[in-house]
Amino acid sequence: MTHGTARHAILLDGVWDVADSTSATERPTAYAHRVPVPALTHSSTPEFPGIDEFETPEYEVVKGLVGRPSDPFRFTDAGTPGHSRNYFWYRTTFEAPSPRNVATLRVSKAQFGSEVWVNGTSVGGNDSGFTAANYDITSAVRWSAENEVVIRIGAHPGVLPPGNTAVVDFEKTHWTAGVWDAVSVFFNDGVSITSTQVAPRIDPQQITVQTQLTNTTSKSVTVTLVQAVREWRGSEVMARAEQDVTLEAGGSRTVTETIPLPDARLWSQESPNLYVLDTSTGGDSTSTRFGVREFRFDAATKRAYLNGEVIFLRGATVCLHRFFDDEKAGTLPWQEDWVRELLGPIPRRMHCNTLKFTIGPVPERWLEIADEEGLLVFYEFPVWTLMPEVTQGWRKEFDTDTLRREYEAWLSDNWNHPSIVYWSASLESKLPPEQSNDIIEAVRKLDLSDRPWGNSWNPPQGPDDPHEYKQYVSNDPKFDMLQLEFGSGARRAPYDPPTGHPALITEFDWIWLTRDGGPTPYTKDLWAKTAYPHETADERFRTQAYVLAGQIEYWRAYRNYAGVLYLSYLSAGWVVDNFRDVENLTFQPYYEEYVANAFKPLGVYINFWQRELEVDSSRVFDISLVNDAKDRATGTITLTVENEDGRALASSSRRYDVVANGQMTYPVSIDLPSDKGSVVLKATARSANAPSEDHQTVSRRFVTLLPEGALAGMTRSILPGDIPDAGGQFEAGA
């Protein structure tokens, strides 16, 4: 047998053959379809009829909650497909090299589950649809020859065993199978490197490296384990560690060592510096990319910290598996340029530093791009169950042992990405302790970077872990933005645990529109009653941007939350994003102008939501500023009243001075003009150091100026005691 010193890898991504079946055991005799890998099976040519049609009991539950006919108990726990097939069979070939000790096939992600054959020999299976599976194919390989690979995947979640954690989504209307992440085969000799974890520290600046080794030979061996660090895209070694390791025949061992990196530059949003750890055993080799950074929350200050400095998190959520249902999605999630634009330039332009990947995971390439773009990622495990009190008695049952194994695999797949700064254990789920607190306590020890964890509607598990709040104040039929004038920028719903831990808002909005400007099933009643213009699609898009921006300003203004993220930056179905042309990533009109201002590091909020004022009167407006930057912010606030053509009818200014990470509220007095009609009240904060449009933040309020005396004797329609609590309602907008 020929031996080498390095791993030889072959990427099997490309166009594969595919066929369908009802039986799990009868392999197809013909493959009449072709499909890209990675992607979803609905991208095959020719198409499979009805491929996406599958209805879950969760979807039946949510239909009932919006008044549609439903019966959550007419389905099995697994759901019901709208087609007769149960499986898809994927087939391709590869050329194996000359003989090596070990051959491994890696299927990064395949839903729903995978079973693999190589040259007709079964090599194993994996029930998970969102974690990687490595298959030992050594005995099945034909060396120096062509080899056939067949992967059988489930055609819908119903084929998975009970208790398995397929992505649980109450609002998902289509369920598409697919080999939706990379597939590769690799070959090595002697002692195999089965996993490598790199955990950075910044004080002192170093990395802890944990390497799992397996002796694939029939005798005891001693090898030299070499770890060398270099810059990504560089070759010069900046740190090196060697040690001799002895393993018994067929034995495994985990080696942990510390490598100082005093000269490494920290990974951050502004400078996403990346390094590579090259690991070798003489017969196998791997390269692991990482960044040197630390992220944590602190319960005493209720703040988030990146590399020891306070950071306020601004951003949104990505519901990729919902977006899979979009008729325009196709292969976009696997197109490099599209994904990079989505995760890099657009968030920077929108002044967002954080995205939460929710309701299902993403391809690994997404995380690699996030690493390269300096994007902070909240990564959520795909469990969403709510609780029987709000789901007509429906309850999702999990197998606890299976659940724990999938958490462990999920962590192992993803823990070397510096972009991932927070694990979210579940979404809107009231789970028993053995499936929430106990699992987090057990598996968080595996992550040597010690990232914080979210625990959904269960109490935070760790002493500094945050709690995620869902601030859907807009979903109350009685809600009016005027109520925000009396708010304090905080709200706890009945399902939120009583906790003083750091607080995050990871969802709010509830004013969703379809891509053509129509209301979604959740927002139909809201749009029919809104006090803002909504008769045409253009009016609705403007109102949506206006209200969303106003809520972002409000939740940021009081400094109650370490992070403010809205739903949703990318999605489809009942909860839709703000793209007009998702293929070219073009936003709806008004969205970028309004929301980008609301997310600027220097935030501005006019604490005023009344829709009418009188002409020729004087008024004092409270304007709050927050400064998310590391430096002091000084400049001028200018409050103007502008007509519909943008001409200033009145103006008043004053200086502002806000310390780093600080907040200030300034009263600004203005004499309202004599012109009647629709106007825009606009507060503009201009930086003293760079007073260009790129360094100013704008907050707007739409107001109608009425004749003098028109409001005489009138009182505000909403008084502090009249503020409704929207928290008691079901909030399915995840």
Side-chain angles (χ1 to χ4, degrees):
M1 182 171 288
T2 301
H3 295 279
T5 59
R7 177 175 294 188
H8 175 66
I10 302 173
L11 187 64
L12 301 186
D13 293 359
V15 178
W16 291 41
D17 302 323
V18 64
D20 61 349
S21 75
T22 301
S23 169
T25 57
E26 297 179 10
R27 289 178 54 184
T29 57
Y31 291 80
H33 301 253
R34 303 275 280 166
V35 66
V37 171
L40 297 177
T41 319
H42 65 196
S43 294
S44 64
T45 306
E47 296 179 355
F48 289 95
I51 187 172
D52 298 310
E53 296 175 9
F54 183 82
E55 196 158 336
T56 64
E58 296 93 338
Y59 188 59
E60 283 291 295
V61 167
V62 82
K63 285 197 302 184
L65 292 169
V66 294
R68 294 185 175 185
S70 69
D71 180 3
F73 305 106
R74 73 182 179 90
F75 289 142
T76 65
D77 184 60
T80 300
H83 52 80
S84 60
R85 67 183 66 86
N86 289 321
Y87 299 96
F88 290 107
W89 303 74
Y90 278 62
R91 182 182 68 176
T92 194
T93 61
F94 69 90
E95 290 286 334
S98 55
R100 303 290 296 268
N101 258 29
V102 183
T104 305
L105 178 75
R106 180 178 177 84
V107 181
S108 296
K109 296 181 186 71
Q111 60 185 27
F112 301 94
S114 62
E115 194 84 17
V116 180
W117 289 260
V118 174
N119 298 322
T121 299
S122 174
V123 295
N126 178 32
D127 290 330
S128 174
F130 53 87
T131 60
N134 291 320
Y135 300 103
D136 184 351
I137 64 171
T138 309
S139 61
V141 167
R142 297 169 183 158
W143 300 105
S144 302
E146 184 177 83
N147 291 261
E148 179 194 60
V149 175
V150 173
I151 302 176
R152 189 205 71 202
I153 62 174
H156 52 78
V159 302
L160 295 172
N164 183 269
T165 53
V167 174
V168 182
D169 189 341
F170 287 83
E171 297 153 3
K172 187 169 172 60
T173 56
H174 297 86
W175 294 81
T176 309
V179 179
W180 64 282
D181 211 340
V183 181
S184 61
V185 59
F186 55 90
F187 312 89
N188 63 276
D189 297 311
V191 174
S192 296
I193 303 165
T194 56
S195 76
T196 304
Q197 182 180 176
V198 180
R201 291 288 181 268
I202 64 171
D203 187 18
Q205 201 160 287
Q206 61 189 28
I207 56 173
T208 298
V209 180
Q210 191 171 82
T211 311
Q212 294 183 4
L213 305 173
T214 299
N215 180 7
T216 64
T217 72
S218 58
K219 60 181 180 180
S220 176
V221 296
T222 298
V223 298
T224 300
L225 176 64
V226 179
Q227 311 274 19
V229 177
R230 57 181 169 86
E231 289 189 1
W232 180 48
R233 294 177 174 168
S235 58
E236 183 177 350
V237 174
M238 56 188 298
R240 184 182 179 92
E242 294 187 14
Q243 64 172 300
D244 291 337
V245 180
T246 300
L247 295 97
E248 298 298 320
S252 297
R253 182 174 172 182
T254 299
V255 179
T256 303
E257 55 191 328
T258 299
I259 302 175
L261 289 177
D263 298 326
R265 293 166 295 166
L266 298 184
W267 184 95
S268 67
Q269 307 146 278
E270 299 81 12
S271 301
N273 301 301
L274 295 170
Y275 296 88
V276 174
L277 175 74
D278 293 318
T279 303
S280 174
T281 63
D284 195 10
S285 61
T286 60
S287 294
T288 306
R289 199 174 68 173
F290 66 95
V292 180
R293 65 100 187 90
E294 288 185 1
F295 181 89
R296 64 183 176 89
F297 290 95
D298 178 68
T301 61
K302 300 187 179 181
R303 298 290 183 248
Y305 293 81
L306 177 64
N307 297 331
E309 297 183 333
V310 172
I311 179 172
F312 285 94
L313 308 166
R314 308 181 303 271
T317 59
V318 169
C319 308
L320 178 61
H321 289 248
R322 298 252 183 103
F323 178 66
F324 286 163
D325 297 350
D326 193 303
E327 62 179 9
K328 301 290 187 181
T331 61
L332 290 176
W334 297 274
Q335 295 178 20
E336 173 88 11
D337 291 347
W338 188 87
V339 177
R340 188 171 294 278
E341 181 74 11
L342 183 80
L343 302 183
I346 294 178
R348 284 194 293 273
R349 196 169 74 234
M350 295 298 296
H351 307 286
C352 296
N353 55 29
T354 307
L355 289 179
K356 182 184 181 186
F357 295 152
T358 185
I359 315 289
V362 298
E364 187 172 9
R365 185 63 189 133
W366 283 51
L367 299 172
E368 293 171 348
I369 291 173
D371 295 341
E372 296 162 14
E373 296 291 341
L375 181 70
L376 302 181
V377 170
F378 290 1
Y379 210 22
E380 183 181 271
F381 190 82
V383 162
W384 180 29
T385 64
L386 299 171
M387 52 186 171
E389 292 86 340
V390 295
T391 55
Q392 306 173 53
W394 174 89
R395 182 190 299 271
K396 176 74 173 179
E397 301 290 344
F398 295 114
D399 179 82
T400 302
D401 291 338
T402 299
L403 194 63
R404 176 170 171 169
R405 287 195 300 270
E406 291 190 335
Y407 272 108
E408 292 172 349
W410 179 64
L411 290 176
S412 179
D413 286 349
N414 300 298
W415 54 32
N416 288 319
H417 291 288
S419 57
I420 298 177
V421 295
Y422 168 78
W423 309 112
S424 184
S426 60
L427 170 70
E428 293 181 345
S429 299
K430 192 72 173 176
L431 296 169
E434 64 272 16
Q435 294 179 357
S436 55
N437 290 51
D438 295 352
I439 281 185
I440 294 176
E441 183 179 15
V443 303
R444 72 184 307 158
K445 303 170 187 175
L446 303 176
D447 175 22
L448 301 181
S449 293
D450 193 25
R451 292 172 176 87
W453 280 77
N455 198 15
S456 191
W457 288 348
N458 312 283
Q461 193 277 322
D464 292 303
D465 286 343
H467 176 66
E468 297 182 32
Y469 292 84
K470 311 300 170 69
Q471 300 293 19
Y472 285 120
V473 293
S474 307
N475 75 335
D476 191 301
K478 300 178 182 179
F479 176 75
D480 190 300
M481 293 292 280
L482 180 60
Q483 296 168 23
L484 300 185
E485 286 191 36
F486 305 96
S488 59
R491 170 181 161 275
R492 174 183 166 234
Y495 43 73
D496 289 316
T499 176
H501 282 232
L504 297 169
I505 298 179
T506 52
E507 291 182 25
F508 66 97
D509 193 347
W510 210 275
I511 47 176
W512 304 295
L513 294 169
T514 60
R515 297 212 193 281
D516 61 3
T520 72
Y522 281 135
T523 62
K524 184 177 179 181
D525 292 342
L526 181 147
W527 279 105
K529 298 176 182 179
T530 183
Y532 298 102
H534 63 281
E535 295 303 318
T536 67
D538 186 75
E539 288 175 338
R540 288 191 293 273
F541 282 134
R542 189 184 190 195
T543 291
Q544 181 189 40
Y546 173 66
V547 172
L548 175 57
Q551 290 190 21
I552 293 170
E553 295 171 6
Y554 172 76
W555 294 120
R556 293 182 64 201
Y558 293 85
R559 286 303 202 210
N560 292 315
Y561 298 95
V564 174
L565 284 70
Y566 81 93
L567 189 82
S568 175
Y569 176 50
L570 184 73
S571 188
W574 289 21
V575 176
V576 187
D577 54 52
N578 300 96
F579 287 108
R580 175 175 58 189
D581 179 355
V582 74
E583 293 172 289
N584 293 297
L585 295 176
T586 304
F587 285 125
Q588 299 289 358
Y590 312 112
Y591 170 82
E592 186 162 355
E593 177 186 359
Y594 287 46
V595 175
N597 264 283
F599 269 135
K600 284 186 175 180
L602 181 66
V604 178
Y605 173 66
I606 309 173
N607 188 37
F608 178 81
W609 287 101
Q610 297 168 52
R611 290 180 285 277
E612 296 171 335
L613 289 170
E614 290 184 6
V615 299
D616 294 325
S617 59
S618 294
R619 174 80 188 222
V620 176
F621 295 90
D622 290 323
I623 302 176
S624 296
L625 277 72
V626 292
N627 178 20
D628 289 358
K630 300 175 183 177
D631 301 317
R632 192 183 206 100
T634 61
T636 303
I637 306 171
T638 300
L639 185 64
T640 58
V641 178
E642 298 180 357
N643 64 15
E644 293 180 325
D645 297 327
R647 181 170 61 90
L649 305 177
S651 179
S652 179
S653 298
R654 65 163 296 163
R655 301 286 295 172
Y656 69 81
D657 186 345
V658 189
V659 299
N661 301 312
Q663 188 272 355
M664 290 291 292
T665 297
Y666 295 98
V668 179
S669 176
I670 192 170
D671 294 328
L672 297 172
S674 58
D675 302 56
K676 298 186 294 293
S678 298
V679 297
V680 179
L681 185 69
K682 182 184 293 185
T684 304
R686 291 182 175 87
S687 169
N689 298 324
S692 68
E693 288 190 7
D694 292 338
H695 294 83
Q696 66 182 34
T697 307
V698 177
S699 175
R700 303 170 178 83
R701 299 292 179 265
F702 298 144
V703 181
T704 299
L705 292 180
L706 301 178
E708 187 175 359
L711 301 179
M714 296 182 63
T715 59
R716 293 178 177 177
S717 59
I718 300 292
L719 297 176
D722 298 326
I723 299 174
D725 178 11
Q729 298 199 11
F730 171 73
E731 299 179 354

